[in-house]
């Protein structure tokens, strides 16, 4: 069986990209560096007590007293372990990557929900992205952007996109077709139907996708420590290379605490009641159904 040099073809393509668009990757690197540095400075500049209070208030508002108490105690534990700066660096990378992945994934999910052909094209691509080993993402990212936080953000963003696409498509396809028909009957424009009916009704599924985006981003941030992304990833990687059980446990515990906080907050936001035109259409549809002969 002759060997197909698929890897060499991909390598040649990456080399061609570097030669054809040298300024593009420098511009992307500069923008991402500014974003991450600004967010990191914002999170690490004030006293950790201020941010713990803010996180506690957020947890109290979206979930309740139980999560607020857990948040305050858990983040105080992180501060007592002297891992506060690393935790905030990881949080900054997660937030930047999650926003980018959501900004890319949700429009793609809407496109896939509205066009079967788009869904057929995107599905194998998403399968490939979700089954590719996480370490493989670091190779082209390091090749394009070198060592540092930028390849970590890029690899984390690409790795986190599939859940946003899939759950956005699933949520929009799950909207009651009769509600959409009622909107068409009232003369609503397709964009208005999307904005005021389909997206609000699909919001729980979309928020579940964003929740998974954040969880995948957090898991990838630790792996991105191999590329010099810093944060808790560097703590864990350093502990593994030095066989430092204590440092590894503390770094892993900080990751778990951050993951629980982000998961509970985003899950609570997904439970918020939806609002939009569809809430006005549902009662109208019920009244129309009650007046129809079949309802009698």
């Amino acid at each position: 069986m002759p060997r197909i040099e698929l890897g060499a073809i991909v390598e040649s393509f990456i080399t061609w990209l570097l030669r054809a668009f040298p300024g593009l990757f420098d511009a992307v690197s500069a923008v991402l560096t500014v974003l991450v540095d600004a967010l990191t400075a914002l999170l690490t500049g004030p006293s950790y007590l201020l941010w713990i209070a803010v996180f506690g208030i957020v947890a109290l508002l979206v979930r309740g007293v139980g999560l607020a108490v857990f948040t305050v105690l858990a983040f105080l534990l992180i501060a007592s372990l002297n891992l506060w700066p690393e935790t905030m660096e990881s949080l900054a990378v997660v937030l930047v990557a999650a926003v980018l992945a959501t900004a890319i994934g949700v429009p793609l999910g809407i496109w896939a929900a509205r066009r079967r052909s788009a869904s057929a094209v995107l599905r194998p691509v998403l399968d490939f992205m979700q089954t590719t080993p996480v370490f493989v993402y670091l190779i082209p990212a390091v090749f394009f952007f070198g060592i540092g936080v930028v390849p970590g953000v890029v690899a984390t963003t690409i790795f986190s996109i599939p859940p946003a696409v899939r759950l956005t498509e699933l949520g929009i396809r799950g909207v009651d077709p009769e509600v959409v028909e009622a909107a068409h009957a009232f003369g609503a424009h397709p964009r208005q139907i999307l904005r005021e009916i389909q997206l609000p009704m699909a919001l729980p599924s979309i928020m579940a996708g964003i929740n998974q985006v954040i969880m995948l981003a957090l898991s990838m941030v630790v792996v991105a420590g191999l590329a010099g992304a810093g944060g808790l990833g560097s703590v864990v990687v350093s502990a593994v290379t030095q066989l430092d059980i204590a440092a590894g446990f503390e770094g892993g515990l900080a990751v778990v605490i951050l993951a629980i906080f982000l998961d509970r907050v985003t899950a609570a936001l997904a439970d918020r009641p939806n609002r939009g035109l569809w809430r006005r259409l549902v009662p109208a549809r019920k009244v129309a159904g009650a007046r129809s002969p079949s309802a009698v």
Side-chain angles (χ1 to χ4, degrees):
M1 183 69 182
R3 172 177 169 77
I4 300 176
E5 300 294 342
L6 187 58
I9 295 173
V10 174
E11 183 179 356
S12 300
F13 177 68
I14 292 176
T15 304
W16 174 80
L17 284 178
L18 284 173
R19 291 176 179 174
F21 307 100
L24 174 63
F25 300 105
D26 293 338
V28 172
S29 178
V31 171
L32 291 179
T33 301
V34 169
L35 288 176
V36 174
D37 289 348
L39 193 53
T40 302
L42 179 65
L43 292 171
T44 57
S47 169
Y48 67 89
L49 293 175
L50 174 62
W51 279 113
I52 290 176
V54 171
F55 295 154
I57 292 172
V58 171
L60 179 65
L61 292 176
V62 302
R63 196 74 181 217
V65 178
L67 182 61
V69 172
F70 167 80
T71 300
V72 171
L73 294 178
F75 279 106
L76 284 174
L77 175 61
I78 290 178
S80 70
L81 297 175
N82 295 326
L83 290 175
W84 183 259
E86 290 82 0
T87 303
M88 292 301 101
E89 289 174 7
S90 293
L91 180 60
V93 173
V94 167
L95 292 178
V96 171
V99 169
L100 292 176
T102 303
I104 297 171
V106 170
L108 288 177
I110 294 172
W111 184 43
R114 296 168 73 88
R115 295 184 181 277
R116 293 283 181 183
S117 58
S119 178
V121 171
L122 288 175
R123 190 173 300 119
V125 176
L126 297 176
D127 292 340
F128 177 80
M129 293 172 67
Q130 285 189 301
T131 54
T132 301
V134 294
F135 294 99
V136 176
Y137 286 96
L138 292 178
I139 299 174
V142 170
F143 205 73
F144 284 129
F145 302 103
I147 299 296
V149 69
V150 174
V153 173
V154 173
T156 304
T157 301
I158 297 173
F159 182 67
S160 307
I161 287 175
V165 180
R166 290 189 188 279
L167 289 176
T168 300
E169 179 185 1
L170 179 65
I172 292 178
R173 288 191 185 279
V175 174
D176 188 353
E178 293 185 5
V179 177
V180 178
E181 284 184 20
H184 280 295
F186 285 133
H189 191 273
R191 291 183 180 178
Q192 186 182 12
I193 295 174
L194 174 66
R195 185 178 64 251
E196 299 191 22
I197 297 176
Q198 291 176 312
L199 286 180
M201 293 185 71
L203 186 59
S205 180
I206 295 173
M207 288 302 299
I210 294 175
N211 174 275
Q212 292 304 304
V213 166
I214 293 175
M215 292 299 102
L216 287 180
L218 188 57
S219 66
M220 187 64 187
V221 158
V222 176
V223 178
L226 293 171
L232 294 173
S234 63
V235 175
V236 174
V237 171
S238 176
V240 171
T241 56
Q242 299 176 9
L243 297 179
D244 190 341
I245 297 176
F249 177 79
E250 293 176 355
L253 180 62
V255 173
V256 171
I257 290 173
L258 194 57
I260 292 175
F261 171 73
L262 294 174
D263 176 69
R264 299 299 186 271
V265 170
T266 53
L269 291 176
D271 294 335
R272 295 180 64 182
N274 299 324
R275 295 177 180 177
L277 181 62
W278 73 276
R279 278 190 171 274
R280 299 195 295 271
L281 291 175
V282 170
R285 185 166 59 88
K286 288 182 178 178
V287 172
R291 291 177 178 176
S292 66
S294 58
V296 178

